[in-house]
Amino acid sequence: MEINTQNSILNHYFKTSQPTRQHQDDLRWINKFNENFENKLIKKHDKKIKLLKEKQVQPQSTKPQTTKPMNSKITYDTSNVINISKIHLSQQQLKVISKGLKFVPTPTSINTITTVVNCEKSLFSTSKLIKSAAISEISTFIQKWRKPTKFNMNKEEVKLLKEIKTIEDIVIVQADKGGKIVVMNKNDYFNKIEEKLNDLNVYEQVKKDPTTIIKTEINKKVTKMLNQNKITDQNKYYLTSIDDLPKIRGQPKLHKIDTPMRIVTCSRDTITSPISQFIFRIIKELRTTLNGVVCNTSKFVKIISDVKLNQDEHLASLDIQDLYTNIPVSKAIDITLKRLDESKKLDNLPFTKTDIKELLNLALKNSYFQFNGKFYKQKTGLPMGNTLSPILADIYMDEYQKQHLHEVNIPNKIWRYVDDILIITKMNKPQLEKYVYDLNKICGTIKFTSEFEQNDQINYLDTMLTKTIINNEIILKSWKIHQK
């Protein structure tokens, strides 16, 4: 977009949204306590902007612009792409996909209006000084922005990416675990998700858009806290600023037979996400109360490398079936409030336990979502994708382990990553199966399956663990599994 056009848009925006503000003084906030330096800085920036505008109005060169691709000597690892669709993809197409679902091609244009609106929204709750400084910097950035001369994809890769986008019979999604990228038949993807949604014990379809009902509940609670001077007007705006319902996506479980689907709720920037983020900031420190929780594979490998086993100890794993949808939300909230109370976190905050409980219920029990043009509600459990769900699931399972897994809940002998538990146990395989059978008879929704080591080996997450004897000691060696 040309500089004059950008200036026109920005001037119109500032005049309509901030009529009392002098935009030409945007840079005057910098070093306002040092007049000499400030004046020099203003003159410097004014000179730059003047030269920039003069350059813009000069006749454009007829010389065609050339773009320089990034270094073409790029290594690709296509082992992270699993194609289970009926469509054959070339090795070159797989290389493009292997860049990852978070890879973003270098932008060739900038949308000024969207940039301004998004920045204004993000800066709403900040102080006036920071807001003015940020707006000044963003304005300068927009004016100086030029189409890049270097790109992170060459022309051939861009062409291949466009070809992949035209294939209508496939979807490309993230695997449930291990960081794999999965190419699936679109019909299989939708059918597997519909199959999960047809479980009437967990989900129900609703006839009407529930947005208005949820919005009313949120406004009632937030207004009450505002009237009690527990939050500011800015907090209220933030907590009630979004009306969109979540959507869902599926993540295939490659390590399971028939590749079942895990339902993930896409809750970012949706109607309950501000409340979820607000509460998460209060309770996130409760992670320090958890024992044996694995954050990722690399950290787990470091921990496990120092573990030594006795001659009579075995490796085994317990898998929690459909963890999130089987967590009793009310109990998880009560355990969280108990630990929050014990941590004395609320002593320095204006909120009561009742406030936190009501906000948690608003965020977790209004688990409505959209899929394929229909509205659904998750009737039980924690919604996958909600900011609060991982920490509440961990807190609940940490308490569950203490109460029900006495035989295996031994420090440095048990580790859990989401719904996968690795244990070092003296039980043999029949004893483990009997133990799991008895566990599943406990009244409640948490159920387990088990796996016992074979030939001193077991798979956990995306690693192969092997018992190895070195210097008369049994230690664990780990190897990353590359799934084909």
Side-chain angles (χ1 to χ4, degrees):
M1 185 179 292
E2 293 184 354
I3 290 294
N4 290 336
T5 306
Q6 293 176 356
N7 280 333
S8 176
I9 292 172
L10 288 170
N11 288 334
H12 174 75
Y13 166 74
F14 286 121
K15 286 179 182 179
T16 55
S17 65
Q18 300 179 25
T20 61
R21 183 163 159 269
Q22 298 298 315
H23 179 49
Q24 64 269 25
D25 295 331
D26 274 346
L27 297 175
R28 209 171 286 277
W29 66 273
I30 302 175
N31 294 288
K32 65 178 181 179
F33 300 108
N34 187 332
E35 286 295 331
N36 292 331
F37 185 78
E38 174 193 358
N39 292 331
K40 289 180 181 179
L41 193 62
I42 291 173
K43 289 180 181 179
K44 178 182 176 182
H45 280 270
D46 286 344
K47 184 178 179 180
K48 283 184 178 180
I49 292 175
K50 183 178 179 180
L51 290 173
L52 191 65
K53 290 180 178 179
E54 289 176 353
K55 183 179 179 181
Q56 183 65 29
V57 297
Q58 290 175 0
Q60 298 293 320
S61 173
T62 57
K63 183 179 179 180
Q65 184 178 6
T66 59
T67 59
K68 301 176 183 178
M70 298 290 280
N71 188 353
S72 60
K73 296 180 180 179
I74 302 173
T75 57
Y76 299 91
D77 179 16
T78 58
S79 66
N80 70 327
V81 182
I82 312 298
N83 185 5
I84 58 175
S85 74
K86 296 179 181 178
I87 303 296
H88 172 73
L89 296 175
S90 68
Q91 190 65 22
Q92 295 304 314
Q93 289 174 323
L94 293 176
K95 286 180 179 180
V96 172
I97 296 173
S98 72
K99 289 177 178 289
L101 298 182
K102 293 183 179 180
F103 174 83
V104 179
T106 304
T108 57
S109 62
I110 184 170
N111 189 318
T112 305
I113 300 297
T114 301
T115 303
V116 170
V117 171
N118 288 341
C119 291
E120 181 70 17
K121 181 179 176 181
S122 301
L123 295 168
F124 178 82
S125 59
T126 60
S127 67
K128 291 183 179 180
L129 179 62
I130 294 176
K131 187 174 182 179
S132 298
I135 288 176
S136 174
E137 292 297 315
I138 293 163
S139 301
T140 303
F141 168 78
I142 291 174
Q143 289 183 333
K144 289 186 175 182
W145 191 88
R146 289 291 180 272
K147 184 176 179 180
T149 58
K150 293 184 178 181
F151 297 85
N152 56 6
M153 296 182 76
N154 56 42
K155 291 182 179 180
E156 182 63 27
E157 289 175 327
V158 172
K159 181 181 177 181
L160 288 166
L161 182 60
K162 290 180 179 179
E163 288 177 1
I164 295 168
K165 287 182 177 181
T166 61
I167 305 175
E168 298 181 353
D169 296 331
I170 62 170
V171 293
I172 303 174
V173 295
Q174 195 77 33
D176 182 46
K177 291 174 184 171
K180 304 293 184 182
I181 303 167
V182 185
V183 183
M184 295 183 64
N185 293 321
K186 182 178 288 187
N187 288 340
D188 291 343
Y189 177 78
F190 278 90
N191 289 339
K192 286 178 181 290
I193 292 180
E194 293 281 3
E195 184 180 335
K196 296 286 288 187
L197 295 179
N198 288 334
D199 184 351
L200 300 181
N201 293 320
V202 180
Y203 303 102
E204 66 176 344
Q205 186 176 343
V206 294
K207 295 181 179 179
K208 295 183 179 180
D209 185 345
T211 303
T212 302
I213 297 174
I214 303 171
K215 192 75 174 175
T216 301
E217 291 181 13
I218 293 174
N219 277 325
K220 182 179 178 181
K221 176 59 183 174
V222 170
T223 302
K224 181 180 177 181
M225 290 196 300
L226 178 65
N227 293 337
Q228 293 172 337
N229 295 319
K230 294 180 178 180
I231 60 172
T232 64
D233 286 321
Q234 290 179 332
N235 292 143
K236 181 184 177 182
Y237 174 84
Y238 168 69
L239 294 171
T240 59
S241 60
I242 305 177
D243 294 342
D244 298 329
L245 280 182
K247 294 180 172 60
I248 62 168
R249 69 175 188 272
Q251 291 185 336
K253 300 181 181 182
L254 296 175
H255 58 293
K256 301 287 185 181
I257 298 174
D258 295 330
T259 318
M261 197 73 69
R262 183 190 296 279
I263 299 295
V264 178
T265 308
C266 306
S267 299
R268 184 176 180 178
D269 293 332
T270 58
I271 191 165
T272 59
S273 61
I275 289 180
S276 297
Q277 293 163 5
F278 186 80
I279 293 297
F280 179 75
R281 296 188 192 103
I282 296 174
I283 69 172
K284 64 182 180 180
E285 293 177 10
L286 293 181
R287 282 205 173 276
T288 59
T289 67
L290 306 176
N291 295 313
V293 174
V294 176
C295 298
N296 55 55
T297 303
S298 59
K299 288 185 178 180
F300 168 71
V301 169
K302 289 181 181 180
I303 294 171
I304 209 74
S305 62
D306 296 325
V307 174
K308 296 179 176 62
L309 284 74
N310 297 322
Q311 290 285 349
D312 58 348
E313 289 182 323
H314 306 282
L315 299 172
S317 65
L318 304 177
D319 183 68
I320 309 168
Q321 297 178 346
D322 296 324
L323 172 63
Y324 278 54
T325 56
N326 282 312
I327 294 286
V329 177
S330 296
K331 286 186 179 180
I333 290 175
D334 289 342
I335 296 169
T336 301
L337 291 173
K338 179 175 178 291
R339 295 197 179 189
L340 194 62
D341 193 33
E342 292 170 349
S343 72
K344 306 297 181 181
K345 175 73 175 177
L346 292 178
D347 291 354
N348 299 319
L349 295 173
F351 310 110
T352 64
K353 284 174 64 176
T354 301
D355 292 328
I356 303 301
K357 184 173 184 177
E358 289 177 353
L359 290 172
L360 283 168
N361 278 316
L362 276 174
L364 296 171
K365 292 189 175 180
N366 283 305
S367 50
Y368 294 92
F369 58 86
Q370 300 178 71
F371 179 71
N372 204 18
K374 301 174 185 177
F375 299 104
Y376 294 87
K377 181 180 182 181
Q378 183 177 317
K379 295 161 62 176
T380 62
L382 297 168
M384 278 284 291
N386 188 293
T387 303
L388 293 167
S389 294
I391 188 168
L392 261 76
D394 280 340
I395 290 171
Y396 179 82
M397 285 308 304
D398 190 68
E399 194 73 19
Y400 190 95
Q401 286 178 204
K402 293 176 181 178
Q403 292 184 5
H404 302 296
L405 303 184
H406 304 293
E407 289 84 348
V408 296
N409 192 36
I410 304 170
N412 298 320
K413 303 285 185 180
I414 182 169
W415 299 269
R416 181 173 57 81
Y417 176 78
V418 191
D419 54 2
D420 284 338
I421 302 175
L422 176 71
I423 59 174
I424 296 176
T425 178
K426 293 185 179 182
M427 289 184 280
N428 56 34
K429 186 174 182 180
Q431 289 171 333
L432 177 67
E433 291 173 347
K434 175 66 166 56
Y435 175 68
V436 171
Y437 175 79
D438 292 338
L439 271 181
N440 289 337
K441 288 166 62 177
I442 296 174
C443 182
T445 53
I446 300 297
K447 304 298 177 186
F448 298 89
T449 58
S450 66
E451 182 180 344
F452 197 77
E453 65 178 33
Q454 291 184 2
N455 300 322
D456 292 335
Q457 294 182 327
I458 194 168
N459 292 343
Y460 184 68
L461 304 183
D462 54 353
T463 60
M464 169 74 77
L465 301 177
T466 302
K467 290 157 57 178
T468 306
I469 299 177
I470 298 179
N471 296 329
N472 296 322
E473 290 184 327
I474 303 176
I475 64 172
L476 288 176
K477 289 287 187 180
S478 61
W479 288 270
K480 191 172 182 66
I481 299 172
H482 294 284
Q483 186 165 0
K484 300 296 182 180

